[in-house]
Amino acid sequence: MPPRLQLNALAAFPPLPIVRLRVQFQRRLASSSTPDIYDVVCVGGGPAGLSLLTGLRNSKITSNLKVALVDGQDLQKNRLRKDASLESFSNRCSSLTPASVKNLQEIGAWSHAAQARIQPYQEMQVWDGISGARISFDWDSARPILSPRSPTQPTTIAYMIENINITSTLLSRLEELGGVHIFSSQNVSSIALGTEAPDVDLSSWPVLTLSSGKQLAARLLVGADGANSPVRTFAGIPSRGFDYSRHGLVATLKLAGPGWGGPDHKIAYQRFLPTGPIAMLPLPGNVASLVWSTTPERAAKLKALPESDFVAMVNAGFRLSATDLEFLHTMSSGQEEEVAWREQHTSLDTHTIPQKVTAVQSGTVASFPLKLRHADTYTGERVALVGDAAHTIHPLAGQGLNQGQGDAAALVRTISRAVQTGQDIGSVLALESYNSERYAENNAMLGICDKLHRLYSVESGPVVGLRTWGLKAVDAVGPLKGFFMNRAAGGV
Amino acid sequence: MNPLRHTFISRCLDTTPPSTNPLPEELRYLDIGCGGGIFAESAARLRTTASVTAIDPTPDVLAIAEGHKRRDPALMTKGKLTYLNTSIEELPVPGSEAEKFDVVTLFEVLEHVNAPGPFLESVISNVKPGGWLVLSTIARTWTSWMVTNVVAEDVLGIVPKGTHEWQKYVNEGELREWFAEKGGWGGNGGVKAMGVVYVPGLGWKEIPGGEAWGNYFFGVRRDG
Ligand SMILES: Cc1cc2nc3c(=O)[nH]c(=O)nc-3n(C[C@H](O)[C@H](O)[C@H](O)COP(=O)(O)OP(=O)(O)OC[C@H]3O[C@@H](n4cnc5c(N)ncnc54)[C@H](O)[C@@H]3O)c2cc1C
Ligand SMILES: C[S@@+](CC[C@H](N)C(=O)[O-])C[C@H]1O[C@@H](n2cnc3c(N)ncnc32)[C@H](O)[C@@H]1O
């Protein structure tokens, strides 16, 4: 007998375990040698940090701030090669929303991107692996009833792009703008408050010591340093959340063709399975990017399979029932034959699911643990957090990287306003508007994605009926879809 | 409050009528009654500022201002921000028109002064032809009486009890009249006012017409 689930059980999940990261207060004084003084020191040259610096350098109002970038990695080495082949793609890709793209255009970066490696998509097929209820998104069906689509209305839902393409693009733009003091391949070894001398009093200024021994004092220290942010630790800002006990399995896939809509109408697919969503996102040509959230055990199992069995399992993930999939994961070998046999007994409308995967690009199958984390605040005295340093999110809606882009743009606005009114850009008062603008927005997005994850983790009972009804209802009402798509597209 | 001061100053400068004496690209400020230096510091950080001279006769507040200034190396550049422990009456009047200031500011001082007329005379002798005097104060009305004596001091506790004497407040209309009678001031659209109100939780907000009944900014340009 299936477990009975009360309707109100949805609202009555047990209290979330709170993970308090151990935070060391490093409020001791830095050594007495005089540090170089900067207005902004950004730790982390990932998508969020680079976008922030590009925004600051691009604007007339903020371009005379003295800025530095510190990253432990070699930023030049991690760049997309100009002659990179269109036959192979990185397994770390993101779905950039039109809002993020617009911001990249505004800061003059987008034109530096390797456009041939970016794949816009125009349609999204999302369905429930248990009930089969389906919702399809495209701007055409989202238009208000009876009104024709205006020629200027966008048709692109989002753009699939390799993360390395984003960071290389931003680095190219930053080089063009110039004026950033870059400390690449240099780790931050410690952060401490400065000292008080007769001429200047740096006792409220963070002073960074780099692995090279160099010291930098920051009027504003920006933590764009990822999920384990050393800047956040220095500021004593707690970050709370929980682990999903799920892994995100990624891979670059070769398909039988360019997709059912051809090269000019690309489709993204996402199927909700009880273990988590499996998504296939289109890349140029016959290539697609896989993100499969699943249990750590299943992720380990999938990673260990020979290529042909792995390919069969991905195809099964979009086609076979949850029960079939459960069984397939228990088999020690022979998934390819088993999937072929079971598929014959499953009726499928092939055009509503992705084209068949034929191969996987070697070396691209990888997985990482999924976490939800949210810092208590994004700002402190002379500190601001952006991107994963402030929040990490379930990859479900592909919003993580976009949130970081939104953070960067908002922080640039806050800094601009502070500069225009002569405020100290590191003061809590000046930074307040950044925190209030972004915190609630990100928190809402974290909440939506988390609730979706939980909703779809339920295999039977009234909730399945409820979500089926929900998907069908949304699908039937065009304008409502427009609303949801606007949210997914970043509110453009 | 402080960002609004810049908003208002920009509004004054942006509407400066074409003149034979255009103000320079980089402005020289005189901040009278600078207190802890909140405005003086922010003015000194602006890209369009050549220098800020900030004066206050109270030694204690000036010590606080000096201490705070040392926390920002950008302000320590020589000549950028200079504090002087003096009242405006004792500050030597600049020897020539050219040595006078482009912008003279007087924030939250007028309401503490016993004789506003003579005091304003000392203030305006420091304004360059074509330059602006910008001040903020509070009108003497029933609303401001309530706000000052009941709300700000008792309820909100924003200012210590007894800080303000309502009788000393100067109204916007009185300032306009005073400058009109004086002559040589506020010609060609060179008078501006802006009412502001403190909204708990939001801070200071501009409120159209508020200059008639509460806190307000007043800007007047010396002709030339
Ligand atoms: C293993 C993994 C796989 C992922 N795969 C995907 C995916 O397939 N698709 C997707 O959309 N998202 C994926 N994500 C999430 C995505 O990478 C992040 O959302 C995004 O990169 C966040 O950008 P960011 O700029 O905030 O931080 P990051 O990209 O994490 O950048 C942080 C930077 O800070 C630097 N840094 C950190 N500490 C120090 C220090 N002490 N000194 C100097 N420098 C330091 C690091 O070198 C790094 O360059 C993945 C995340 C992880 C961890
Ligand atoms: C209420 S405080 C305002 C401080 C500051 N302008 C602000 O708004 O934060 C008024 C200041 O005016 C100063 N003051 C009073 N009479 C003055 C005078 N004649 N000349 C210059 N300053 C004076 C006082 O010392 C006091 O610090």
Side-chain angles (χ1 to χ4, degrees), chain A residues 60 196 201 205 219 422, chain B residues 42 45 47 70-72:
Chain A
K60 267 210 189 72
E196 183 172 358
D201 174 6
W205 286 48
R219 180 187 292 281
Chain B
S42 67
R45 282 193 199 98
R47 209 192 263 217
R70 283 196 305 130
R71 301 167 134 234
D72 188 344

Side-chain angles (χ1 to χ4, degrees), chain B residues 5 32-35 55-58 61 86-89 107-109 112 119:
Chain B
R5 292 172 174 169
I32 299 168
C34 63
I55 67 165
D56 203 294
T58 313
V61 296
T86 174
S87 70
I88 188 61
E89 293 84 352
F107 294 125
E108 322 294 315
V109 179
H112 301 279
F119 173 77

Side-chain angles (χ1 to χ4, degrees), chain A residues 3 21 26 45 129 142 202 213 215 221 240 246 318 347 360 413 422 430:
Chain A
L21 294 184
Q26 256 196 319
L202 295 181
Q215 292 204 319
L221 173 61
R240 299 156 205 265
R246 289 289 185 280
F318 287 98
S347 66
V360 53
R413 281 195 295 277

Side-chain angles (χ1 to χ4, degrees), chain A residues 43-49 70-73 91-94 163 186-188 224-226 230 250 368 387-388 400-401:
Chain A
V43 181
V70 181
D71 201 300
Q73 299 190 34
N91 59 357
R92 289 187 68 174
C93 294
S94 296
N163 286 8
Q186 297 194 38
N187 260 304
V188 174
D225 44 357
V250 294
F368 53 95
D388 277 21
L401 195 133

